[in-house]
Amino acid sequence: TDQSPARRTWTVDTVPPETTIDFGPSGLTNDMTPTFAFSSEAGVTFECALDSDPFAACASTYTSAELADGAHMFRVRAHDAAGNEDLSPASASFTVDTVAPDTAIDSGPSGVTKERTPTYTFSSEAGATFECALDGGAYAACTSPYTPGALSEGAHTFQVRAIDEAGNEDASPASRGFTVDATAPETRIDSGPSGLTSSADARFAFSADEAASFECKLDAAAFASCTSPQAYAALGQGEHTFAVRATDSAGNTDASAETRVFTVDTLAPETAIVSGPTGLTR
């Protein structure tokens, strides 16, 4: 009898391995060649498939060829050393989006404004986030509406760019230039009656120290739009007050209207001879 029998040991394993995707995109991505990492039990090999392609052997990290924009599906399954195959492959659905969003400024000043803390509203595609920059400074996260801190007088530039859910950034940010002018104009009355006048008509010429529109009023009337010269006719006897104020293109109004007080006196005096001869005298 053979004193050293031949022997063989084996293990029965009928349990399929579980496959797990550890890394890779899901949802939206702007990566046209996404990479996936996956794992399972020790000693397994893997097969991968993309979209409708058949499964093919792959390593524990997989990088796809360049993909078109749109929806895609990645699947991976493990085969253990006993030959069991994962019958429920791990999968990840994702959408490639490489199109940058457009950013629009919907409201906010342009040109000249008297507002030192202007407010801007802006928009883009659904789900986008925004970054804002002022006067060439660094971009920083912001939301609509956006109001910067108090600005100095002078020229400024506001810029905003959208970043979509896939991470695409608008390469041509929306931009708006504006000038802060918070200084009111000075109004001058250049000509017109003052003090006593014998005319019931009055004509006033006026100007400002910058381009402006004007409002005038006489006595207790309300201010109303006017241009220089402003004329009045058939004024009543007595004292009158003319006032005029300038408003510049930024909307600043002279807080101290320029005034001119005058008195209309059109009545001729009566002359009387108080003493002196009348008739014959020697």
Side-chain angles (χ1 to χ4, degrees):
T1 302
D2 187 352
Q3 297 301 309
S4 55
R7 61 169 55 195
R8 182 167 291 179
T9 302
W10 73 96
T11 300
V12 175
D13 176 4
T14 61
V15 178
E18 289 291 333
T19 315
T20 302
I21 296 175
D22 303 313
F23 171 83
S26 64
L28 284 169
T29 179
N30 62 1
D31 188 352
M32 299 178 72
T33 57
T35 295
F36 293 88
F38 33 88
S39 59
S40 185
E41 63 188 54
V44 299
T45 58
F46 296 96
E47 289 182 324
C48 299
L50 189 67
D51 298 332
S52 59
D53 294 343
F55 278 98
C58 58
S60 58
T61 56
Y62 170 87
T63 299
S64 78
E66 187 171 296
L67 301 176
D69 277 24
H72 298 276
M73 167 83 74
F74 170 72
R75 293 172 294 157
V76 58
R77 65 189 180 191
H79 292 259
D80 66 18
N84 298 297
E85 177 185 284
D86 187 353
L87 299 178
S88 55
S91 64
S93 297
F94 62 100
T95 299
V96 174
D97 175 7
T98 60
V99 179
D102 281 321
T103 315
I105 295 175
D106 302 315
S107 68
S110 63
V112 180
T113 177
K114 65 178 180 179
E115 182 57 66
R116 287 182 178 270
T117 55
T119 296
Y120 287 90
T121 63
F122 36 88
S123 59
S124 186
E125 64 184 54
T129 58
F130 298 93
E131 291 182 328
C132 298
L134 192 67
D135 298 337
Y139 280 93
C142 60
T143 57
S144 179
Y146 170 80
T147 302
L151 301 176
S152 61
E153 292 205 12
H156 298 277
T157 301
F158 170 71
Q159 292 177 292
V160 57
R161 65 188 181 192
I163 301 171
D164 66 18
E165 291 182 297
N168 299 297
E169 179 183 284
D170 188 351
S172 55
S175 179
R176 186 165 289 186
F178 62 101
T179 299
V180 174
D181 175 6
T183 303
E186 289 292 332
T187 314
R188 298 182 296 262
I189 295 176
D190 302 315
S191 65
S194 176
L196 281 169
T197 176
S198 61
S199 174
D201 298 335
R203 180 185 175 95
F204 293 92
F206 40 87
S207 59
D209 61 352
E210 61 179 290
S213 59
F214 297 92
E215 291 179 316
C216 301
K217 75 168 196 162
L218 187 68
D219 299 332
F223 276 102
S225 178
C226 62
T227 57
S228 180
Q230 173 68 26
Y232 299 95
L235 297 175
Q237 297 286 310
E239 185 178 274
H240 298 278
T241 301
F242 169 73
V244 58
R245 64 188 183 191
T247 299
D248 65 19
S249 58
N252 300 296
T253 298
D254 189 350
S256 55
E258 191 74 2
T259 60
R260 180 74 64 87
V261 178
F262 62 102
T263 299
V264 174
D265 179 2
T266 61
L267 299 177
E270 289 293 332
T271 310
I273 298 175
V274 180
S275 67
T278 183
L280 288 171
T281 179
R282 63 187 180 92

